Amino acid sequence: MYEQISHAILNDTLRQLSTSKQDKQWQFFYTRLGANFYAIYSLFHHLYGHRPDFKPQLAHLVAVLAERYGQRSAALKAQDLAREQDHAWFMHQKWVGMALYCDGFAGTLSHMQTKLAYLQELGVNMVHIMPICDCPETNNDGGYAVRDYKKIDPRYGSEQDLDQLIHLMQQREMLLALDVVVNHTSDEHAWAIKAKQGDATYQDYYYMFDDRTLPDIYESTMPEVFPEQAPGSFTFNAETQKWVMTVFNHYQWDLNYSNPAVLIEILDVILFWANKGVDILRLDAVAFLWKKMGSSCQNEREAHLILQLLKDCCQVVAPSVLFIAEAIVSPTEIIKYFGEDAVNAKECEIAYNATLMALLWDAVATKQTQLLYKGIEGLPEKLDRATWLNYVRCHDDIGLGFSDESIIAAGFDPVSHRRFLVDYYTGHYEDSNAKGFAFGVNKKTGDARISGALASLAGLETALAKQDASAIDDAIATISLLHNFTMAFGGMPLLYYGDAVGTLNDDAYLIDSSKMNDNRWVHRPTLDWAQMDKRQQKGTVEQRIFSAIKQLIAVRKEISAFADLNNRALIALDNPHVIAFSREVATGMHARVLVIANFDVQAHCIPTQAFQQKGWLTQPMVTDLCSGQSIPLTPAGIVIPKLTAYWLSI
């Protein structure tokens, strides 16, 4: 019955479109629409079928799909076909990403064009440029308070600058990722302005209430995202005399996805950027898309249905475009943002592996790998056509989001262990060289997260200040070890701008009144390209870090086992400081690789009997693929130097 209704509505819609869209260029649109329409109809009906405007809204959605398909270039349509035929193209080990702020990295989009050679020198071929849409001068949350979804902020350049950058990146076979902020807009967005003016249509784009009755009910179960600088989840708007839901900051108004017009508007934004030639769209704050009283208003079932609907619609118009789920939630929740399909991702093909990032920093602080092992062991298996973004640092803070169960299994008390980690990385632990800052301190619960540049958290800033050569060596080794792990783990490694030369904390944000109360800006630097050029001066800290990471990237791209095919197997070791896993594929260069990583500040000898039972490490010498060096095997085992990871061909 459901399917019959959906086909009847589809036929009515196609009759309206077909009079002007009958040529061969439209055959793929009709084929994809027909293949996906039952899912589109079912999801749309589940979310909005109770509304009297259900049918006209559904017709509007299909009209948007047709309009955007008609605007899609022939080159992008050809790319769609090619990527459909190689549907797992993005899971190849050749892809290595970098996330950056346009202004911090290069100044403008025009100057970004001149920095592509640097990215290629390093080996980066996927670039995530943080938000560049028009936003207010202040109260912009680093670009995540969008004022106009379809306009480039003049501070970064023009639409033509972006078009030229995309063209040059395509010539260099580089992918571009951009943000679509799906959860909220700036309170200066045109929709918000109309809502402030009393337009009921646009007030329904947001959550607006006449008094505190319903906001109080919502807040009774909603955790605070920014308890220090933006407590609560609602803000009183004097112009309308209404309370507006503002989960993040008071100037970021949450969109109301119970209104289908909002979903269609955001779908149109997604397809707009897809038609610009953007390869990957990072959907920001997807865990918050659906608000429900009596819940945390995170990870609701409807949020997943919205993402499935957006993905199905994008498959009709621009099937080569990938989605990244920006959902910094527990492993059992993040895995759901790939989708429910047994094989294919039906929500987002890519998701941030925030848990791995936090686990790696735990291993650096403790010099032990028990929690890292337990945390990886507890990661649910992802879908076949889905992949992780594995990263050491990003623009955001480090949340200590691993589960209490994993912490207990590793032999620690959850509360005191998290307190130790915050103390370690904020300079309140005697044996630590880390220089970071507590962020998002919740005085009610004692919870906190951590800000700081990778190099500063790894001890390089302190070591340089003391001119301690041994500590500098350890910091550089730590930086290399962390990147080594993300390169080998399984997924797409994502570097953060400045990290490849050891950029330290940048306190320039303290003189900017719009940033000074948010210490995450300490690790969002404006790069000094004179310092960056030191990567070419032998013996400098910058050169040592850059050359190590460049080598890792180059070797990774040669190792067929590092393609993300759910082919990682943890190996239990009787050593609390060392962790090992294998990566194997059926064929290809270096199809079987053993990764062994030592997070301690002293060397450890690992017995090889367990490996030899599998037929591995049976020769007197093995080769570390990272360095190309031959590693001897002694009767006692294999020695893993301090702060080192080997990639051993087996």
Side-chain angles (χ1 to χ4, degrees), residues 159-394:
E159 185 175 345
Q160 292 71 32
D161 292 332
L162 179 62
D163 290 341
Q164 180 64 16
L165 177 63
I166 291 172
H167 175 68
L168 293 174
M169 291 182 68
Q170 290 171 341
Q171 288 182 327
R172 294 173 182 255
E173 299 183 345
M174 300 174 77
L175 305 177
L176 175 63
L178 292 181
D179 286 84
V180 176
V181 184
V182 292
N183 180 69
H184 47 260
T185 72
S186 163
D187 62 357
E188 296 184 23
H189 192 284
W191 304 337
I193 290 173
K194 291 176 181 177
K196 292 177 187 178
Q197 293 169 345
D199 189 324
T201 296
Y202 288 96
Q203 287 187 352
D204 196 34
Y205 274 40
Y206 301 97
Y207 293 89
M208 304 184 74
F209 303 95
D210 292 328
D211 58 42
R212 284 288 312 188
T213 303
L214 292 181
D216 285 343
I217 296 175
Y218 274 107
E219 284 194 335
S220 65
T221 53
M222 292 175 68
E224 294 175 305
V225 176
F226 298 136
E228 286 182 294
Q229 66 263 40
S233 298
F234 288 85
T235 299
F236 183 71
N237 178 252
E239 294 168 77
T240 60
Q241 293 292 297
K242 292 179 182 290
W243 290 89
V244 184
M245 183 176 285
T246 54
V247 168
F248 288 86
N249 287 292
H250 68 85
Y251 51 81
Q252 290 168 299
W253 287 17
D254 283 61
L255 289 165
N256 176 14
Y257 278 89
S258 67
N259 179 356
V262 169
L263 180 137
I264 295 170
E265 293 269 24
I266 294 300
L267 171 63
D268 187 58
V269 169
I270 286 171
L271 297 179
F272 170 84
W273 288 109
N275 281 352
K276 295 290 284 183
V278 177
D279 301 281
I280 304 172
L281 290 168
R282 176 188 180 275
L283 306 184
D284 184 64
V286 293
F288 297 85
L289 290 183
W290 195 268
K291 311 303 194 296
K292 185 182 294 183
M293 283 188 288
S295 76
S296 67
C297 294
Q298 296 182 39
N299 304 310
E300 290 299 316
R301 168 71 175 161
E302 290 82 355
H304 293 283
L305 300 183
I306 289 167
L307 290 172
Q308 291 171 29
L309 183 52
L310 292 173
K311 172 48 64 176
D312 285 333
C313 290
C314 193
Q315 287 294 107
V316 174
V317 177
S320 64
V321 173
L322 307 176
F323 289 173
I324 297 176
E326 193 275 326
I328 310 304
V329 294
S330 70
T332 55
E333 291 296 336
I334 185 60
I335 206 75
K336 298 176 184 177
Y337 288 93
F338 290 128
E340 299 175 329
D341 189 281
V343 176
N344 297 313
K346 295 295 287 183
E347 293 185 27
C348 300
E349 292 88 351
I350 308 173
Y352 286 91
N353 200 346
T355 298
L356 178 64
M357 175 194 65
L359 290 167
L360 288 172
W361 285 109
D362 179 89
V364 169
T366 61
K367 315 295 187 292
Q368 298 181 18
T369 58
Q370 298 104 312
L371 183 53
L372 177 59
Y373 184 97
K374 292 294 182 183
I376 294 173
E377 190 177 44
L379 280 176
E381 186 167 316
K382 63 172 184 58
L383 302 180
D384 287 345
R385 189 180 177 269
T387 195
W388 295 111
L389 278 179
N390 297 316
Y391 58 106
V392 181
R393 286 298 290 118
C394 67

Side-chain angles (χ1 to χ4, degrees), residues 488-524:
F489 184 76
M492 185 185 296
L494 183 71
L495 286 77
Y496 187 58
Y497 78 117
D499 285 352
V501 295
T503 301
L504 305 176
N505 288 336
D506 183 354
D507 62 4
Y509 77 99
L510 294 171
I511 62 175
D512 185 335
S513 60
S514 67
K515 299 176 179 177
M516 61 190 305
N517 293 318
D518 184 346
N519 63 28
R520 290 175 301 174
W521 286 102
V522 78
H523 56 257
R524 300 170 180 176

Side-chain angles (χ1 to χ4, degrees), residues 614-626:
K614 298 176 181 288
W616 305 342
L617 309 187
T618 57
Q619 303 299 316
M621 302 285 287
V622 291
T623 300
D624 170 32
L625 299 176
C626 299

Side-chain angles (χ1 to χ4, degrees), residues 528-585:
D528 178 352
W529 279 91
Q531 181 202 7
M532 299 287 285
D533 288 342
K534 291 181 180 179
R535 72 187 186 277
Q536 298 171 338
Q537 299 175 22
K538 187 171 178 59
T540 63
V541 167
E542 291 80 6
Q543 183 270 333
R544 293 170 64 190
I545 295 173
F546 184 87
S547 62
I549 295 175
K550 179 181 177 179
Q551 173 77 358
L552 288 171
I553 293 172
V555 175
R556 169 194 157 81
K557 292 180 179 182
E558 298 174 353
I559 299 176
S560 58
F562 285 173
D564 194 9
L565 303 174
N566 278 336
N567 56 337
R568 180 186 60 253
L570 278 170
I571 299 167
L573 299 176
D574 189 20
N575 187 305
H577 308 284
V578 181
I579 187 169
F581 58 86
S582 64
R583 302 289 311 279
E584 298 188 54
V585 292

Side-chain angles (χ1 to χ4, degrees), residues 111-177:
H111 288 133
M112 269 290 300
Q113 298 170 26
T114 69
K115 304 302 182 187
L116 295 181
Y118 162 80
L119 296 170
Q120 280 202 302
E121 177 191 354
L122 181 59
V124 166
N125 51 15
M126 190 282 275
V127 183
H128 169 213
I129 303 178
M130 308 292 283
I132 54 174
C133 291
D134 179 59
C135 62
E137 184 70 29
T138 59
N139 290 342
N140 58 50
D141 190 26
Y144 287 100
V146 176
R147 184 165 55 189
D148 189 332
Y149 281 110
K150 299 176 183 177
K151 179 183 177 184
I152 302 296
D153 194 298
R155 285 170 285 189
Y156 307 125
S158 65
E159 185 175 345
Q160 292 71 32
D161 292 332
L162 179 62
D163 290 341
Q164 180 64 16
L165 177 63
I166 291 172
H167 175 68
L168 293 174
M169 291 182 68
Q170 290 171 341
Q171 288 182 327
R172 294 173 182 255
E173 299 183 345
M174 300 174 77
L175 305 177
L176 175 63

Side-chain angles (χ1 to χ4, degrees), residues 7-174:
H7 281 301
I9 292 175
L10 175 59
N11 290 333
D12 288 343
T13 305
L14 292 181
R15 277 193 290 272
Q16 297 173 34
L17 295 173
S18 61
T19 55
S20 61
K21 300 178 175 63
Q22 294 179 339
D23 58 66
K24 292 183 179 179
Q25 294 181 10
W26 285 84
Q27 63 177 316
F28 295 110
F29 174 78
Y30 290 130
T31 300
R32 292 175 186 137
L33 182 61
N36 288 280
F37 191 76
Y38 177 63
I40 291 171
Y41 173 85
S42 301
L43 291 164
F44 202 79
H45 187 272
H46 183 92
L47 291 165
Y48 308 116
H50 63 284
R51 292 176 59 105
D53 62 348
F54 167 72
K55 286 187 177 180
Q57 291 283 12
L58 181 60
H60 181 207
L61 181 148
V62 176
V64 167
L65 298 182
E67 179 182 6
R68 288 301 182 191
Y69 182 82
Q71 296 166 351
R72 193 156 176 81
S73 71
L76 291 176
K77 288 177 181 176
Q79 176 179 274
D80 292 335
L81 291 173
R83 290 182 179 173
E84 279 182 313
Q85 292 171 4
D86 181 17
H87 72 286
W89 62 271
F90 60 95
M91 300 173 68
H92 195 281
Q93 73 272 12
K94 72 178 181 180
W95 299 113
V96 176
M98 178 180 286
L100 56 86
Y101 283 96
C102 176
D103 53 347
F105 181 75
T108 64
L109 290 169
S110 178
H111 288 133
M112 269 290 300
Q113 298 170 26
T114 69
K115 304 302 182 187
L116 295 181
Y118 162 80
L119 296 170
Q120 280 202 302
E121 177 191 354
L122 181 59
V124 166
N125 51 15
M126 190 282 275
V127 183
H128 169 213
I129 303 178
M130 308 292 283
I132 54 174
C133 291
D134 179 59
C135 62
E137 184 70 29
T138 59
N139 290 342
N140 58 50
D141 190 26
Y144 287 100
V146 176
R147 184 165 55 189
D148 189 332
Y149 281 110
K150 299 176 183 177
K151 179 183 177 184
I152 302 296
D153 194 298
R155 285 170 285 189
Y156 307 125
S158 65
E159 185 175 345
Q160 292 71 32
D161 292 332
L162 179 62
D163 290 341
Q164 180 64 16
L165 177 63
I166 291 172
H167 175 68
L168 293 174
M169 291 182 68
Q170 290 171 341
Q171 288 182 327
R172 294 173 182 255
E173 299 183 345
M174 300 174 77

